[in-house]
């Protein structure tokens, strides 16, 4: 996995890894991928683009959740094959991006540190000793259940059919409430696309994934 790369312009680390992104305005939304990103901006590859100095909205899909950003197009160039590359900069500091980016960088570093090193050459083994009876190992202790977030949690996802949805997970006394609406909202449609109650957060996440896969 690629690790952080220093950004010579701002002194901030950049991650060279592709993330799904939707960007544009209320009148026009496009899809593409983020090819590198930092706390201050990103580079997007997409078949469509916007003019330099355009101010647009970008929804970057991190592994755990989506982050909504307000960005300005700094530069734009052709990437070949009908695609374009745009350089985007945040119009103002975004605490949500800073938190998501910091969590993601920590995950990238942890994964890189856990990569096994090459096997060392085997040393000459001493003559084997007579086997001794070993006590039976104790059964591993059960892992404690993962702590549930406090909520509410808002996530933006895209289905396999290219539809965008906003999901709201709210903690209730008896579990979690899941509400899903399609973006942008269609004229004359006021009711959510899905409303349901789940006994715990894991069940609410599963219901959300099942909905996105089926739509």
């Amino acid at each position: 996995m690629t690790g952080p790369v220093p950004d010579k312009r701002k002194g901030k680390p950049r991650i060279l890894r592709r993330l799904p992104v939707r960007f544009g305005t209320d009148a026009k939304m496009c899809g593409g991928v983020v090819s590198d990103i930092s706390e201050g901006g990103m580079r997007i590859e997409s078949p469509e683009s916007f003019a330099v100095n355009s101010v647009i909205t970008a929804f970057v899909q991190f592994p755990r959740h989506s982050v909504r950003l307000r960005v300005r197009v700094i530069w734009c160039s052709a990437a070949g094959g009908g695609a374009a590359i745009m350089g985007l900069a945040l119009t103002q500091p975004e605490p949500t991006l800073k938190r998501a980016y910091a969590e993601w960088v920590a995950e990238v570093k942890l994964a890189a540190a856990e990569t096994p090193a090459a096997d060392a050459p085997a040393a000459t083994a001493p003559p084997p000793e007579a086997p001794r009876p070993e006590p039976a190992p104790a059964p591993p202790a059960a892992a404690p259940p993962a702590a549930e977030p406090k909520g509410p949690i808002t996530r933006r996802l895209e289905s396999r059919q290219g539809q965008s949805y906003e999901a709201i997970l709210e903690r209730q006394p008896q579990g979690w409430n899941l509400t899903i609406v399609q973006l942008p909202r269609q004229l004359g449609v006021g009711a959510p696309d899905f409303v349901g109650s789940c006994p715990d957060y894991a069940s609410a996440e599963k219901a959300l994934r099942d909905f996105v896969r089926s739509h």
Side-chain angles (χ1 to χ4, degrees):
M1 179 180 294
T2 304
V5 178
D7 185 342
K8 297 180 180 180
R9 295 171 298 171
K10 298 184 178 180
K12 298 180 179 179
R14 304 183 74 87
I15 296 288
L16 302 178
R17 190 182 179 191
R18 301 168 77 84
L19 296 171
V21 63
R22 290 187 64 80
F23 60 94
T25 63
D26 292 339
K28 176 185 177 183
M29 290 297 292
C30 309
V33 293
V34 176
S35 56
D36 73 85
I37 186 169
S38 73
E39 294 179 17
M42 70 196 75
R43 184 170 64 191
I44 286 180
E45 298 179 12
S46 173
E48 301 181 82
S49 62
F50 286 82
V52 174
N53 290 326
S54 298
V55 176
I56 59 177
T57 301
F59 298 94
V60 181
Q61 183 61 55
F62 282 85
R64 293 188 178 181
H65 56 278
S66 176
V67 177
R68 181 180 184 274
L69 306 171
R70 196 69 172 164
V71 294
R72 183 184 300 276
V73 181
I74 303 302
W75 56 266
C76 181
S77 64
I85 301 178
M86 291 191 301
L88 309 178
L90 296 183
T91 58
Q92 59 184 10
E94 178 54 59
T96 304
L97 173 63
K98 188 174 182 180
R99 287 195 303 271
Y101 182 80
E103 292 176 0
W104 188 43
V105 169
E107 292 177 3
V108 171
K109 290 181 178 179
L110 179 61
E114 292 177 349
T115 302
D119 293 335
T124 303
E129 296 182 357
R132 297 179 181 179
E134 296 289 343
E148 293 190 345
K150 296 181 178 180
I153 297 173
T154 300
R155 299 180 62 181
R156 285 185 172 85
L157 303 171
E158 181 174 321
S159 70
R160 294 179 178 177
Q161 288 74 28
Q163 301 294 335
S164 295
Y165 295 93
E166 180 179 75
I168 302 175
L169 295 91
E170 300 176 287
R171 194 166 192 172
Q172 304 294 332
Q174 302 301 324
W176 285 80
N177 186 66
L178 172 62
T179 304
I180 303 175
V181 296
Q182 185 176 349
L183 298 176
R185 299 296 291 156
Q186 300 179 3
L187 294 177
V189 178
D193 293 84
F194 177 88
V195 177
S197 298
C198 302
D200 51 40
Y201 180 76
S203 299
E205 282 278 2
K206 182 178 183 303
L208 174 57
R209 292 193 298 268
D210 291 343
F211 176 89
V212 173
R213 278 197 296 266
S214 62
H215 289 73

